[in-house]
Structure formats: structure tokens, C-alpha cells
Amino acid sequence: MSAEPAGRRPRPLLPYLLLAPSLLALLVVLGYPLVDMVTLSFQDMTRKELFSGAAPPWAGLGQFRTILGDGFFWTVVARTALFTGVCVTLTMASGLLVALLMRRTSPWVRATIGGVLVAVWAMPVMVAAAVFRWLFDADYGLVNWLLSTLPGVDLARHNWFTDPWQGFAVITAVVVWGALPFAAISLHAALAQIPPELEEAALIDGARPSQVFRYVTFPAVKPVFVMVTTLMAIWDFGVFNQIWLMRGGQPEREYYLLGVYSFIESFAVNRYSTGAAIALVTVVLLLAGSVLYLRQTLRLGEAE
């Protein structure tokens, strides 16, 4: 008697049973708020409906027409994209440099650097923001004092947040500071998987160190580099805490990114539906980044 074809065999239920609790938790924790936010974005909720419990009137696409037709919304989108690009570039560049440094140092130096990175990673955002606010304080800031010691530089009582470009430079430093440990440790783990014989053979063949990095080292860590870059972009695109804390809970309009803009519209000026529409547009943009991340993950799996 011939065996039953493999294609007709019943699929085992155990994997689906193991995945079921996670999927159920995602549906409960993320699914319901997401559906509620989508519904709210198509309504026109005011404080009257919020406190009375009455059903808000249906607004259709009115909220989206309002925000998409507002020039300030597109200014915030462009500002968010620029901020994300700068943060991701600085994070990945500094993370790669730290990872290369860890690879070439002695074990105790590498362990020290790793301990510092873990300590930075464990630092809460509120603590990091407080430290940076003190460093760049107009009256007692260490950065103003150090820069003022340079010839021809006087930054006494200089407020870095008066100019949004300088203020965003400080906020960028906070974001990069918090994201650097993950990038550096991930890239160092990828560098540790490269066989030393590959780089030694390239050096014996006459390649310069820069050529060894370009044609041997970086291609080997490129999959991890691309995945970490994608994750950093998704994370930085939704930055909220750092701006909120650095501006004392009252960010000016020049410091609005999409996350801050949505929160202000929802809970400061009580335009709940407009805030929900902005949040929904942000989610759609983040989902586009998530699709890119999944594609890179699948490609990495196929390569392996």
C-alpha cells in the first residue's frame, strides 16, 4: 500500500496552538485601540460628546481633508522625515564605529565598552533627558561653560532652544545617545561572525584596509546593518518622549513632530478626531517601514 502524498497530510496543530495566545494578546492589546482610533478619525468628537457619552457625529473623510489640506501638517511631516534621517544616519555611523572599535580592542577594554553601552541602554528616557537638559542649561550648563573657555566664544546664558535648529540638535543627541547601544551591540555581534581568514587573505592579496572594509567586512554585516537601520527609522519616526521631556511638556510648534502633533491636537486643544486622523496617517507611514523590515527579514532568511 503506497504512502499518503505529503501534500495531503494534515498540518500539525501544535504551532497554531502555540501562536494562538500571542495572536489573541495582540488582538486585545493592539487591535481594539487601533479599531477605536480608526473609527474616531472618521467622526467629529468634541468635549460635549466626550463628557456626555453621546455618539459623535459621523464626519467621513472630513478630518483627513482638513489635515492633508493644511500646509503646517506637511511641514511637520517633512520635519519628521528630516529628523528621522539625521538621527538614523548618526546612530548607524556612530554604532558602526563603536562596533569596529570593540572588535580591535583587548578583551577588558571591550568588556568595559560593553558595560558602558548596557548602562546607557538601561538608563530611562526621563533620566537621559534630565542629564541633557542640565548639560545644555542656559545658566548652569556644562556645555556653555566649556565652549565659553574657547577663544572668541561667549555662550554665557545662551539658550539652545531659542533656535529650533539648535534645539533639535540637542534633542537629536538625546535620541542618538539612547539608540547607540542597540546599534553598536548588534553590529559588533555581526562583526564577530566574520572569519578572520577572509580579511587576512584580502590583506595578503594587497588590499588596503579601506578596501577590505568595503569589499569584505561591510558586505558580511550588511543584512544586520539594513535591519537595524530599518528598526531605527521606525523608532525615530515616532519619537515623542524626548521632545516632550526636553521642552518641559510644552513644546512649541517649531518642535512638533507627528507624534507630538497628534498628542497636542488630541489632548491639548481637544480636537480628538483630528488627532486620531494624524495618528492614523503616522501608523500608515510606520507600517510602510514595517513592510520594508519584513522584506529585509525574509531576504535574510532566504540568504541563510
Side-chain angles (χ1 to χ4, degrees):
M1 183 177 180
S2 60
E4 186 178 358
R8 295 182 180 178
R9 293 177 181 174
R11 296 182 177 180
L13 294 177
L14 182 59
Y16 300 98
L17 293 176
L18 294 176
L19 288 174
S22 300
L23 294 177
L24 182 61
L26 285 176
L27 287 175
V28 174
V29 176
L30 297 179
Y32 175 75
L34 183 60
V35 171
D36 193 49
M37 184 188 69
V38 173
T39 304
L40 182 61
S41 66
F42 288 96
Q43 297 173 334
D44 186 14
M45 174 174 280
T46 62
R47 297 180 67 180
K48 176 182 177 181
E49 287 80 15
L50 179 65
F51 291 111
S52 66
W58 193 256
L61 297 175
Q63 304 297 342
F64 295 96
R65 294 194 190 96
T66 300
I67 63 172
L68 296 179
D70 186 4
F72 181 70
F73 171 77
W74 293 109
T75 300
V76 174
V77 172
R79 185 184 299 153
T80 305
L82 177 62
F83 176 80
T84 302
V86 172
C87 288
V88 171
T89 302
L90 293 177
T91 301
M92 296 309 298
S94 55
L96 183 58
L97 289 175
V98 173
L100 291 171
L101 176 65
M102 293 176 66
R103 194 185 184 205
R104 295 180 179 276
T105 54
S106 59
W108 73 270
V109 175
R110 185 163 52 249
T112 303
I113 296 176
V116 172
L117 291 175
V118 172
V120 173
W121 182 254
M123 181 181 296
V125 177
M126 293 184 63
V127 178
V131 170
F132 274 83
R133 285 188 65 173
W134 171 75
L135 289 174
F136 290 90
D137 185 80
D139 297 323
Y140 309 103
L142 180 63
V143 175
N144 285 1
W145 176 77
L146 285 176
L147 293 178
S148 297
T149 59
L150 299 176
V153 178
D154 184 11
L155 290 179
R157 297 186 180 279
H158 175 70
N159 188 346
W160 290 81
F161 293 95
T162 302
D163 182 356
W165 288 97
Q166 295 182 8
F168 266 111
V170 178
I171 296 171
T172 299
V174 181
V175 174
V176 173
W177 168 268
L180 176 62
F182 176 74
I185 293 175
S186 299
L187 293 174
H188 176 257
L191 288 171
Q193 304 303 315
I194 302 176
E197 295 79 9
L198 291 178
E199 296 173 327
E200 292 173 0
L203 291 172
I204 292 174
D205 290 340
R208 295 191 296 271
S210 59
Q211 292 175 321
V212 174
F213 174 80
R214 180 178 179 181
Y215 296 108
V216 179
T217 306
F218 188 73
V221 300
K222 185 178 179 180
V224 177
F225 188 89
V226 172
M227 284 197 301
V228 175
T229 301
T230 307
L231 292 175
M232 288 293 119
I234 294 173
W235 186 31
D236 292 341
F237 199 82
V239 161
F240 173 84
N241 294 331
Q242 290 84 347
I243 295 177
W244 193 262
L245 294 171
M246 294 295 289
R247 299 309 303 133
Q250 295 178 340
E252 300 82 354
R253 287 171 65 86
E254 291 79 9
Y255 288 93
Y256 281 13
L257 299 185
L258 280 174
V260 177
Y261 190 23
S262 174
F263 186 86
I264 293 291
E265 288 291 321
S266 298
F267 302 106
V269 296
N270 299 320
R271 288 198 287 259
Y272 307 104
S273 296
T274 303
I278 296 173
L280 184 59
V281 173
T282 305
V283 170
V284 171
L285 295 175
L286 288 175
L287 285 176
S290 300
V291 170
L292 177 62
Y293 167 71
L294 291 175
R295 287 185 59 187
Q296 297 299 334
T297 303
L298 293 175
R299 288 181 179 178
L300 179 62
E302 292 174 356
E304 291 177 348

